[in-house]
């Protein structure tokens, strides 16, 4: 029996658990893959945001350049009109500190507007040297311009590090340069763009990449660690950094992984529980099937023995082979005894099937448990004493009234007495006692028989169950008696208590609650 169950357990694990465990392992693996994909997407998204900041600043500077170009085309650079208009542009954008125009031969250099006149000694000579030093760059700008593209090239100022010079072509022949205050440009021209892309999700910061000094941040708290970094195209000494508001990306991913793993673990535990439950059920079914087989063979055996005896003695009598009246009476007695035994077995099985089908009808009425037990005792006394038993009844002195189905309680009691007889060994002592307390009445049957092991005590009330120890093979039984007793006591809302010690004996007590009259 154990081996097939083990085999089933093995196949069960193979067929059901293996694919599920594979699935769980795959899920854990794909979880980390997903995290990696997510991280890449996230980083790409941030890169796009940084790109948009650069694009914005270039568009802004381009719009300034275009204005200057239009004015330059309209009038000659020396016209006072251009001075007036560019003055307005400077005033609206404090980041533009000064601007110069030069022809490509560098012979005509004009500083148009200089807000830092006092601070910086900006003159034609200085500008000329800047232009000369960036000769190749200017050549490139001219090529771009020829192809209709105005490119802005950042050039650093040796004399004032806080200034970024932006060179570009104004028409074919004029070079223009803007002196931009780096910090002002970031704080006044870029801040609104930075705020708009940061939303509530990100913190965008601009910092000086040479000394890590924070120039501007969309949050009050200064960030040092960024998920993504990039240069500011027009101010190469400045960098842009982006980080996630509150938790950083790693925290979010870690949380996601944890919750994923927790979810999968819960799933795995549930699967294991379900598998265990399934295995237990299959095991129980197999055991029941086995027990039923034993039951059929037990019952067949129980029926065959009395039938064979009845057949033998009836035939002997029928053929007139028994001469003496004494013998004849003895044989009649045996036939009667065996018939009784047969009908007991059949009744037990019929009662059990009635109970299983829910067709057993109880008829409750107020009865005295003492009186009922006394009657059964008397019925059994002669028979048991004949078999060599000491059979006693110690009744409670009081009347033990309770709501009882007398037929059912008699059946339960008879079953207990039958068992006490069956499972008594050499010490043939059976005692019945009744008693009560304020809430209940009880009857108990004690024997000095083979007793029941602790393990079996838990199972003997299950249908068809027969304890494997003791003299089970010598005693006949169906494994239904105690199931009937339990059902009957349950119907009376009572309980069964069992005290049993192997090789010492057992006490079965049936307790039935008393319905108090109000
Ligand atoms: P059975 O027809 O086998 O007696 P029961 O349901 O009446 O079936 O009892 C179930 C099992 O409980 C028995 O097979 C026996 O092993 C054990 N048992 C019941 N009563 C006693 C007892 N008084 N002493 C020892 N074992 C008992």
């Amino acid at each position: 029996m154990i081996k097939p169950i083990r085999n089933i357990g093995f196949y069960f694990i193979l067929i059901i658990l293996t694919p599920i465990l594979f699935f769980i392992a795959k899920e854990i693996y794909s979880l980390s893959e997903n995290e990696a994909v997510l991280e890449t997407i996230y980083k790409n998204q941030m890169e796009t945001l940084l790109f948009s900041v650069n694009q914005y600043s270039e568009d802004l500077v381009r719009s300034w350049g275009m204005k200057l170009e239009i004015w330059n085309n309209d009038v000659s650079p020396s016209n006072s009109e251009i001075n007036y208009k560019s003055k307005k542009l400077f005033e609206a954008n404090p980041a533009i500190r000064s601007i110069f125009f030069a022809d490509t031969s560098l012979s005509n250099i004009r500083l148009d507007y200089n807000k830092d006149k006092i601070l910086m000694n900006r003159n034609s000579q200085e500008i000329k040297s800047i232009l000369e030093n960036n000769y190749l760059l200017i050549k490139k700008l001219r090529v771009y311009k020829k192809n209709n593209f105005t490119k802005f090239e950042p050039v650093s100022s040796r004399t004032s590090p806080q200034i970024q010079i932006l060179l570009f072509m104004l028409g074919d022949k004029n070079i223009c340069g803007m002196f931009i205050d780096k910090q002002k440009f970031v704080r006044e021209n870029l801040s609104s763009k930075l705020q708009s892309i940061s939303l509530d999700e990100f913190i965008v910061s601009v910092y000086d990449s040479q000394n890590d000094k924070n120039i501007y941040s969309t949050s009050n708290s200064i960030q040092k660690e960024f998920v993504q970094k990039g240069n500011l195209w027009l101010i190469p000494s400045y960098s842009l950094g982006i980080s996630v508001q509150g938790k950083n990306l790693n925290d979010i991913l870690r949380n996601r992984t944890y919750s994923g793993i927790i979810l999968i673990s819960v799933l795995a535990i549930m699967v294991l529980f379900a598998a265990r439950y399934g295995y237990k059920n299959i095991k129980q079914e197999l055991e029941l099937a086995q027990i039923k087989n034993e039951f059929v063979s037990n019952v067949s055996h129980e029926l065959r023995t009395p039938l064979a005896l009845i057949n033998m003695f009836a035939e002997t009598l029928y053929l007139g082979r028994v001469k003496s009246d004494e013998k004849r009476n003895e044989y009649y007695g045996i036939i009667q005894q065996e018939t009784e035994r047969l009908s007991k077995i059949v009744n037990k099985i019929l009662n059990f099937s009635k109970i299983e089908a829910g067709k057993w009808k109880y008829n409750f009425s107020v009865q005295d448990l003492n009186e009922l037990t006394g009657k059964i005792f008397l019925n059994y006394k002669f028979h048991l004493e004949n078999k060599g038993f000491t059979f006693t009844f110690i009744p409670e002195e009081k009347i033990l009234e309770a709501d009882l189905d007398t037929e059912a309680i008699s059946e339960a009691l008879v079953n207990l007495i039958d068992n006490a007889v069956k499972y008594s060994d050499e010490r043939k002592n059976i005692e019945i006692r009744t008693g009560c307390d304020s809430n209940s009445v009880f009857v108990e049957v004690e024997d000095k028989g083979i007793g029941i092991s602790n393990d079996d005590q838990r199972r003997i009330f299950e249908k068809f169950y027969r304890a494997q120890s003791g003299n089970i093979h010598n005693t006949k039984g169906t494994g239904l008696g105690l199931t009937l007793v339990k059902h009957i006591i349950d119907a009376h809302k009572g309980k069964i208590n069992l005290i049993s010690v192997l090789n010492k004996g057992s006490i079965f007590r049936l307790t039935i609650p008393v319905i108090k009259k109000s």
Side-chain angles (χ1 to χ4, degrees):
M1 185 64 189
I2 307 274
K3 207 170 168 230
I5 291 176
R6 258 197 215 138
N7 283 348
I8 284 181
F10 177 72
Y11 288 121
F12 193 75
I13 289 172
L14 210 69
I15 293 169
I16 297 181
L17 278 188
T18 317
I20 291 172
L21 292 176
F22 263 119
F23 169 75
I24 290 171
K26 190 183 154 281
E27 275 303 290
I28 291 178
Y29 177 71
S30 67
L31 201 71
S32 56
E33 256 188 352
N34 290 347
E35 310 293 56
V37 171
L38 204 74
E39 193 167 344
T40 318
I41 293 173
Y42 214 60
K43 285 201 164 170
N44 285 347
Q45 189 193 353
M46 294 199 186
E47 219 171 81
T48 313
L49 290 181
L50 297 186
F51 182 86
S52 77
V53 174
N54 273 320
Q55 197 67 55
Y56 175 82
S57 45
E58 205 170 275
D59 288 348
L60 187 70
V61 171
R62 190 176 301 283
S63 75
W64 296 342
M66 272 171 69
K67 277 179 190 160
L68 290 170
E69 181 148 18
I70 292 166
W71 300 328
N72 192 47
N73 288 342
D74 279 354
V75 287
S76 80
S78 57
N79 195 309
S80 63
E81 178 84 1
I82 191 169
N83 273 339
Y84 171 72
K85 282 185 177 170
S86 50
K87 191 177 167 199
K88 282 190 94 180
L89 179 70
F90 299 145
E91 275 166 7
N93 297 287
I96 310 174
R97 305 309 298 167
S98 50
I99 189 162
F100 68 82
F101 302 94
D103 62 358
T104 43
S105 64
L106 307 186
S107 52
N108 183 12
I109 295 175
R110 179 168 57 85
L111 195 62
D112 210 37
Y113 192 80
N114 189 1
K115 288 177 189 162
D116 305 318
K117 238 179 229 160
I118 310 148
L119 292 175
M120 274 174 278
N121 179 23
R122 239 168 245 155
N123 53 40
S124 305
Q125 207 44 51
E126 188 203 346
I127 293 167
K128 196 171 178 182
S129 88
I130 292 172
L131 293 175
E132 277 167 357
N133 287 341
N134 289 287
Y135 170 72
L136 285 174
L137 195 79
I138 292 165
K139 229 176 143 184
K140 260 200 322 193
L141 291 178
R142 290 183 69 185
V143 175
Y144 281 127
K145 191 70 187 180
K146 268 201 184 115
N147 291 309
N148 279 333
F149 176 57
T150 311
K151 182 140 175 51
F152 294 81
E153 276 296 347
V155 168
S156 52
S157 157
R158 268 193 223 130
T159 48
S160 25
Q162 73 274 30
I163 291 294
Q164 183 71 56
I165 305 167
L166 295 178
L167 291 183
F168 61 100
M169 291 301 296
L170 204 66
D172 296 345
K173 294 181 186 73
N174 288 309
I175 306 160
C176 184
M178 283 191 261
F179 285 73
I180 305 286
D181 182 316
K182 296 182 194 175
Q183 291 194 6
K184 277 204 170 88
F185 181 73
V186 171
R187 288 179 189 155
E188 283 163 37
N189 296 95
L190 288 192
S191 57
S192 59
K193 174 68 182 173
L194 297 177
Q195 286 292 353
S196 78
I197 63 162
S198 76
L199 299 169
D200 288 334
E201 274 180 67
F202 307 109
I203 299 170
V204 189
S205 310
V206 178
Y207 61 97
D208 190 327
S209 32
Q210 270 139 29
N211 53 17
D212 270 355
K213 194 180 144 216
N214 183 64
I215 307 297
Y216 177 83
S217 174
T218 54
S219 145
N220 289 337
S221 63
I222 288 171
Q223 298 296 307
K224 286 269 174 238
E225 281 181 19
F226 302 105
V227 181
Q228 195 69 2
K229 290 185 201 173
N231 275 349
L232 209 51
W233 298 341
L234 294 179
I235 311 176
S237 60
Y238 280 8
S239 289
L240 276 167
I242 192 159
S243 50
V244 184
Q245 192 88 271
K247 291 176 185 166
N248 67 32
L249 181 68
N250 282 344
D251 288 341
I252 294 172
L253 289 180
R254 204 172 303 126
N255 283 351
R256 260 180 58 93
T257 311
Y258 283 157
S259 51
I261 286 175
I262 288 172
L263 210 74
I264 286 172
S265 310
V266 170
L267 187 75
I269 290 170
M270 278 166 68
V271 167
L272 286 176
F273 268 111
R276 191 170 168 269
Y277 180 74
Y279 174 69
K280 217 172 127 192
N281 272 1
I282 292 176
K283 195 173 156 230
Q284 266 173 5
E285 284 302 312
L286 283 172
E287 279 173 359
L288 196 65
Q290 165 88 358
I291 283 175
K292 273 184 184 165
N293 276 346
E294 280 169 15
F295 167 77
V296 171
S297 79
N298 278 342
V299 170
S300 317
H301 184 72
E302 282 233 39
L303 294 177
R304 207 184 300 132
T305 318
L307 277 177
L309 285 173
I310 292 167
N311 191 25
M312 188 179 83
F313 287 110
E315 200 177 294
T316 315
L317 288 167
Y318 178 71
L319 293 174
R321 288 195 190 132
V322 189
K323 301 293 173 220
S324 75
D325 282 348
E326 201 185 319
K327 268 279 172 226
R328 215 174 287 132
N329 278 342
E330 189 191 326
Y331 288 2
Y332 282 134
I334 293 173
I335 291 174
Q336 197 257 339
Q337 248 180 44
E338 293 303 313
T339 317
E340 219 170 80
R341 213 171 108 186
L342 265 184
S343 62
K344 256 191 187 175
I345 299 166
V346 173
N347 275 342
K348 204 185 267 185
I349 295 169
L350 283 179
N351 286 343
F352 172 75
S353 70
K354 267 192 201 165
I355 283 176
E356 281 280 276
K359 285 184 183 155
W360 182 292
K361 293 274 172 290
Y362 288 93
N363 294 311
F364 292 100
S365 58
V366 178
Q367 300 288 339
D368 179 6
L369 184 65
N370 253 342
E371 197 185 315
L372 182 74
T373 312
K375 273 187 198 160
I376 295 168
F377 171 74
L378 286 180
N379 283 349
Y380 268 79
K381 190 172 166 38
F382 176 72
H383 175 62
L384 289 194
E385 283 177 351
N386 261 355
K387 279 183 144 186
F389 277 89
T390 315
F391 189 45
T392 41
F393 173 37
I394 304 175
E396 165 66 45
E397 284 170 7
K398 290 183 221 155
I399 295 174
L400 300 180
E401 278 193 336
D403 219 7
L404 308 174
D405 176 329
T406 44
E407 202 186 322
I409 293 292
S410 304
E411 171 87 25
L413 205 51
V414 164
N415 266 301
L416 293 184
I417 297 169
D418 274 349
N419 280 350
V421 173
K422 272 200 290 188
Y423 302 108
S424 281
D425 235 357
E426 278 115 40
R427 286 177 301 157
K428 295 177 183 290
N429 270 316
I430 298 175
E431 192 169 283
I432 306 180
R433 293 181 288 266
T434 51
C436 65
D437 61 25
S438 55
N439 298 318
S440 58
V441 294
F442 70 83
V443 53
E444 63 186 13
V445 178
E446 178 174 2
D447 65 62
K448 306 282 180 204
I450 60 169
I452 308 164
S453 71
N454 284 344
D455 282 348
D456 284 332
Q457 283 183 30
R458 275 189 282 266
R459 300 200 58 189
I460 50 172
F461 297 96
E462 290 171 18
K463 60 187 170 189
F464 307 123
Y465 187 82
R466 305 197 73 211
Q468 298 301 307
S469 52
N471 58 355
I472 178 122
H473 297 295
N474 304 328
T475 53
K476 290 162 196 107
T478 55
L480 295 179
L482 289 181
T483 313
L484 277 176
V485 175
K486 173 138 183 21
H487 191 278
I488 291 166
I489 295 306
D490 284 349
H492 284 77
K493 298 194 169 53
K495 60 179 197 270
I496 308 173
N497 290 98
L498 166 62
I499 302 169
S500 185
V501 179
L502 264 184
N503 303 321
K504 293 251 162 66
S506 314
I507 306 172
F508 283 87
R509 176 185 282 199
L510 310 181
T511 308
I512 297 160
V514 176
I515 299 159
K516 287 195 186 134
K517 288 168 199 142
S518 49

